Amino acid sequence: MPRATVIGLGKSGVAAARLLKREGWEVELSDGNTSETLLQQQQQLAAEQITVKLGQSLELNSANLPQLIVVSPGVPWDIPVLVKARQLGIETIGEMELAWRNLRWRSQPQASLPWVGITGTNGKTTTTALIAAIFQAAELDAPACGNIGYAACEVALSCSTGTETPIQNCIDWVIAEISSYQVESSSSLAPRIGVWTTFTPDHLSRHQTLENYYNIKAKLLRQSELQVFNGDDTYLRQQGLSAWPDAYWTSVRGKDFLISEKGFYIEDDWVVEKLSATSAPEPIVKVSTLRMVGEHNQQNLLMAVATARLAGINRDAIARAIVEFPGVAHRLEHICTWEGIDFINDSKATNYDAAEVGLASVNSPAILIAGGEAKAGDDTGWLAKIHSKAAAVLLIGSAAPVFAQRLQEVGYYSYHIVETMEIAVPKAAELAKEYQAPVVLLSPACASFDQYPNFEVRGDRFRQLCLDWAGGGIQYNLILSSL
């Protein structure tokens, strides 16, 4: 029986281990952490004959080496043990690559199940969710997976396969949000349609240089049969037709701003399709039917409609999906309204560019809650947007002192270091009343790992605190009196 090791006991790692076990592998799953939750998972997986090793890193000193190593998305691709594994000739892949291989026709790889692969620095979650909603409105079985929804290997597990038979019509399309980490560890992943939403500096602590980061994402698009690009993104637009001559480009600014003779653009409140240099423009769906606010969401709409049309989906299904689409949790998510003040959760804004977009999308003046674990990047645009849109800023997490210093350096002094979300929410409500601000916005411009396991947990905590406040703000009087 072949041996495989899976690194990382998260959702993706567990799904990968179960998929390998189903396919006849002897599986060991390792994680350097340990906790009560992980211990419970260890016991559960042991009952499935999957060995789990906690609190220790993988070692490759044994004579009984695995034939395959599968890496969860959060595990750096260049840690010493993975470098050594590749030097030893051990095949090393990511969880996304494992799912891709499993979901292909085994005897006819060229007829593989079609994927849409969405990547980008910002905007990919909303675009992925919107694409999945459109495909599902067209009565296609098209689950969203990857960084959103299911782990990719969970989708593969849901399908019935045989040893030499093709996938048994389990789903029609895979709609995958794919991070740079997942692209990096996927050698053969080749979507039918690749979508690139935006490109700005991010994850440089892992990828080191902007060029490396760009090339990793570009790899996914180069391996895609059809390509959709956000033509309003400054960096992608600079690459243009010289780098991507066959792509479909989009622009919210109209036909004259398309950098290609084919693409999708907005004109007179319509998303317009132009599939070739000689084809006539065709209106597809009204932009105003989309509930989400902000120009960035119009860009997301364009890319989603482009993807759907390239997949052959009709206008009626697209229109139904757009009208009904509620938006994405943690991305400019309206939580509640209390005494005329909207509380908005933008926890997914984990870098400066996303947080700048968040502020630009809400009414002003706003009370901004920001902070967490700071990332490298250019904060100039974000700070300028704070100046023009924020009545006050509440700073939480480990980045609070650094952010306070940066705000002072640009002449902004209406900030408060409050450290925790529990203090930030009632204080924000108080300040919104004081400044007659219509919005309290959580848009952190930071990762969450200093205080929360991920941005979802951070956003969930903000949501609960807001709902508690709206349901009975008086219970926070003790907190407010201590501020």
Side-chain angles (χ1 to χ4, degrees):
M1 182 182 294
R3 294 183 64 248
T5 295
V6 179
I7 303 178
L9 189 57
K11 179 172 67 173
S12 297
V14 170
R18 285 175 169 154
L19 180 59
L20 287 165
K21 185 66 180 177
R22 190 188 72 178
E23 298 301 308
W25 292 74
E26 179 186 342
V27 184
E28 177 180 289
L29 201 160
S30 70
D31 197 298
N33 299 310
T34 185
S35 68
E36 187 62 36
T37 300
L38 293 179
L39 288 169
Q40 291 174 0
Q41 285 185 293
Q42 182 184 47
Q43 294 175 356
Q44 182 180 1
L45 291 166
E48 301 174 34
Q49 298 183 311
I50 296 172
T51 302
V52 177
K53 293 186 176 180
L54 297 176
Q56 52 186 294
S57 300
L58 174 65
E59 295 184 358
L60 297 174
N61 300 322
S62 169
N64 190 21
L65 294 172
Q67 285 78 51
L68 176 68
I69 295 176
V70 179
V71 182
S72 296
V75 178
W77 192 236
D78 58 354
I79 58 174
V81 69
L82 295 184
V83 174
K84 182 177 180 180
R86 293 191 285 270
Q87 290 172 344
L88 291 171
I90 300 171
E91 186 173 23
T92 306
I93 63 173
E95 178 263 347
M96 183 73 70
E97 172 75 8
L98 178 65
W100 162 259
R101 294 181 183 184
N102 191 268
L103 284 169
R104 302 181 75 182
W105 292 77
R106 296 173 182 276
S107 57
Q108 301 176 54
Q110 71 278 9
S112 61
L113 181 72
W115 285 49
V116 177
I118 302 98
T119 196
T121 309
N122 298 309
K124 55 185 179 293
T125 296
T126 301
T127 303
T128 301
L130 188 50
I131 289 171
I134 294 172
F135 278 56
Q136 290 159 19
E139 299 184 352
L140 295 168
D141 192 344
C145 68
N147 272 8
I148 181 176
Y150 302 102
C153 281
E154 287 181 304
V155 175
L157 277 166
S158 72
C159 295
S160 172
T161 63
T163 305
E164 293 298 335
T165 58
I167 301 292
Q168 299 299 312
N169 298 322
C170 60
I171 54 178
D172 300 304
W173 284 78
V174 176
I175 314 298
E177 178 186 335
I178 307 176
S179 71
S180 57
Y181 300 174
Q182 291 161 316
V183 177
E184 188 176 36
S185 59
S186 298
S187 57
S188 66
L189 177 60
R192 178 75 56 81
I193 304 171
V195 182
W196 197 336
T197 60
T198 57
F199 185 76
T200 53
D202 199 11
H203 306 303
L204 297 186
S205 59
R206 173 154 168 171
H207 300 312
Q208 305 303 318
T209 69
L210 191 65
E211 183 180 15
N212 286 343
Y213 181 42
Y214 175 85
N215 287 335
I216 288 167
K217 288 193 173 294
K219 172 186 169 185
L220 180 74
L221 275 294
R222 291 191 182 105
Q223 294 184 179
S224 299
E225 183 179 333
L226 300 169
Q227 302 155 343
V228 175
F229 281 80
N230 174 4
D232 295 322
D233 180 87
T234 303
Y235 197 99
L236 296 179
R237 192 175 182 86
Q238 287 173 352
Q239 304 304 307
L241 296 178
S242 60
W244 306 99
D246 298 319
Y248 292 84
W249 293 84
T250 66
S251 179
V252 301
R253 300 170 188 171
K255 180 180 178 181
D256 292 342
F257 286 85
L258 281 185
I259 62 174
S260 171
E261 293 184 320
K262 60 183 183 182
F264 293 75
Y265 57 92
I266 292 176
E267 185 174 83
D268 298 330
D269 193 41
W270 282 90
V271 172
V272 179
E273 164 189 286
K274 195 172 190 307
L275 292 180
S276 71
T278 57
S279 65
E282 181 179 355
I284 304 299
V285 66
K286 288 186 76 69
V287 177
S288 55
T289 58
L290 182 69
R291 297 189 207 175
M292 298 181 295
V293 300
E295 186 177 276
H296 67 290
N297 279 320
Q298 294 181 2
Q299 291 166 337
N300 297 336
L301 172 65
L302 279 171
M303 290 180 285
V305 171
T307 301
R309 294 295 288 168
L310 293 175
I313 295 175
N314 65 47
R315 287 178 293 179
D316 290 343
I318 293 171
R320 285 197 306 274
I322 300 307
V323 168
E324 297 172 1
F325 188 69
V328 175
H330 312 296
R331 191 66 181 114
L332 291 170
E333 173 193 9
H334 183 269
I335 301 299
C336 61
T337 300
W338 172 77
E339 297 193 13
I341 303 163
D342 292 327
F343 288 75
I344 296 177
N345 169 23
D346 198 31
S347 182
K348 198 175 190 307
T350 59
N351 56 50
Y352 298 119
D353 296 284
E356 181 183 347
V357 167
L359 260 176
S361 301
V362 301
N363 293 326
S364 60
I367 306 300
L368 173 66
I369 301 172
E373 184 178 289
K375 289 183 176 181
D378 183 358
D379 62 2
T380 307
W382 177 63
L383 292 170
K385 194 61 69 176
I386 288 175
H387 252 301
S388 64
K389 298 273 290 193
V393 180
L394 301 176
L395 300 173
I396 63 173
S398 62
V402 177
F403 279 7
Q405 182 177 343
R406 288 293 292 134
L407 288 168
Q408 286 184 35
E409 288 171 359
V410 297
Y412 186 95
Y413 297 96
S414 184
Y415 68 83
H416 307 262
I417 295 179
V418 295
E419 297 183 354
T420 68
M421 196 77 75
E422 287 72 17
I423 298 174
V425 168
K427 181 66 174 176
E430 178 190 43
L431 289 171
K433 282 288 191 182
E434 178 183 340
Y435 288 101
Q436 297 185 320
V439 171
V440 169
L441 172 68
L442 169 67
S443 194
C446 282
S448 59
F449 305 124
D450 58 331
Q451 294 180 319
Y452 302 96
N454 51 53
F455 73 81
E456 292 97 338
V457 174
R458 176 172 62 192
D460 289 342
R461 182 59 178 154
F462 175 74
R463 183 191 298 111
Q464 188 57 57
L465 288 167
C466 292
L467 293 173
D468 288 348
W469 175 265
I474 193 168
Q475 65 185 290
Y476 284 93
N477 281 347
L478 276 176
I479 295 176
L480 287 175
S481 64
S482 66
L483 296 177

